């Protein structure tokens, strides 16, 4: 198996694991606390989130694997992957703060930080590999939508 494919598979596995673990926190509140919240009319049905996030985590992993395959010894690759790691931490942190702690305002601050980190990750991925950067655009767009949704839920509650 080539170095590139193995690194993509490892990165996808890491991203899906983060998503799976975040899902535990989310599932604990979706059936009780979350249903009691006032939500905006554009709130998607709950079943949309799992497949959307699964696809996004796969795309994120492919992108990270492509960058990683360029060689971790390179300064730009390291910088890009450090940004990726930080945004992945904030991605997981959002679920913990919103669903675990039931704190929409604090989750809003986390997701705003996440947006900045995703934008910086895309910038650095583009330096290393344009395709990898473009693979993160759906993630950025989804998190923009999630930010508006988070803000709306905070405002309505």
């Amino acid at each position: 198996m080539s170095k590139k494919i193995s690194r993509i598979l490892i990165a996808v596995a890491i991203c899906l694991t983060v998503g799976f673990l975040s899902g535990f926190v989310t599932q604990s509140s979706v059936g009780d606390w979350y249903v009691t919240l006032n939500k905006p009319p554009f709130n998607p049905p709950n079943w949309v989130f799992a497949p959307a996030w699964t696809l996004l985590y796969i795309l994120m992993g492919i992108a990270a694997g492509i960058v990683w395959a360029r060689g971790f010894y390179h300064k730009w690759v390291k910088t890009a992957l450090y940004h990726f790691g930080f945004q992945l931490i904030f991605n997981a942190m959002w679920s913990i703060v919103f669903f675990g702690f039931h704190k929409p305002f604090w989750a809003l601050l986390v997701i705003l930080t996440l947006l900045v980190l995703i934008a910086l990750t895309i910038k650095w991925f583009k330096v290393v590999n344009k395709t990898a950067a473009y693979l993160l655009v759906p993630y950025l767009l989804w998190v923009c939508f999630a930010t508006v949704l988070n803000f709306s839920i905070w405002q309505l509650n």
Side-chain angles (χ1 to χ4, degrees):
M1 184 168 17
S2 78
K3 176 177 78 169
K4 185 175 187 177
I5 292 184
S6 64
R7 291 190 175 172
I8 288 171
L9 291 174
I10 292 167
V12 168
I14 290 168
C15 290
L16 287 172
T17 300
V18 168
F20 181 73
L21 295 174
S22 296
F24 276 129
V25 176
T26 302
Q27 287 302 317
S28 67
S29 291
V30 167
D32 50 40
W33 173 75
Y34 188 70
V35 295
T36 67
L37 295 175
N38 295 318
K39 293 176 220 53
F42 59 87
N43 188 73
N46 289 344
W47 65 265
V48 169
F49 291 97
W53 275 111
T54 300
L55 176 61
L56 293 171
Y57 283 123
I58 291 168
L59 292 175
M60 290 163 59
I62 293 169
I66 290 169
V67 169
W68 184 18
R70 296 293 298 263
F72 194 69
Y73 58 87
H74 195 286
K75 179 180 170 182
W76 290 347
V77 171
K78 282 183 186 178
T79 303
L81 291 176
Y82 286 146
H83 280 86
F84 184 82
F86 288 130
Q87 70 78 28
L88 197 57
I89 290 167
F90 274 82
N91 176 301
M93 193 184 313
W94 181 87
S95 294
I96 293 166
V97 174
F98 189 89
F99 288 106
F101 297 150
H102 305 163
K103 300 290 184 191
F105 172 74
W106 294 106
L108 181 61
L109 297 181
V110 170
I111 204 168
L112 288 169
T113 304
L114 176 59
L115 276 175
V116 171
L117 290 170
I118 295 168
L120 288 170
T121 301
I122 290 172
K123 172 192 171 225
W124 282 104
F125 272 31
K126 192 171 183 182
V127 169
V128 177
N129 183 287
K130 286 184 171 84
T131 301
Y134 296 140
L135 286 170
L136 294 181
V137 171
Y139 174 43
L140 176 67
L141 295 174
W142 182 260
V143 173
C144 285
F145 171 73
T147 303
V148 173
L149 186 59
N150 187 155
F151 176 80
S152 299
I153 289 172
W154 170 61
Q155 287 292 298
L156 292 169
N157 295 278

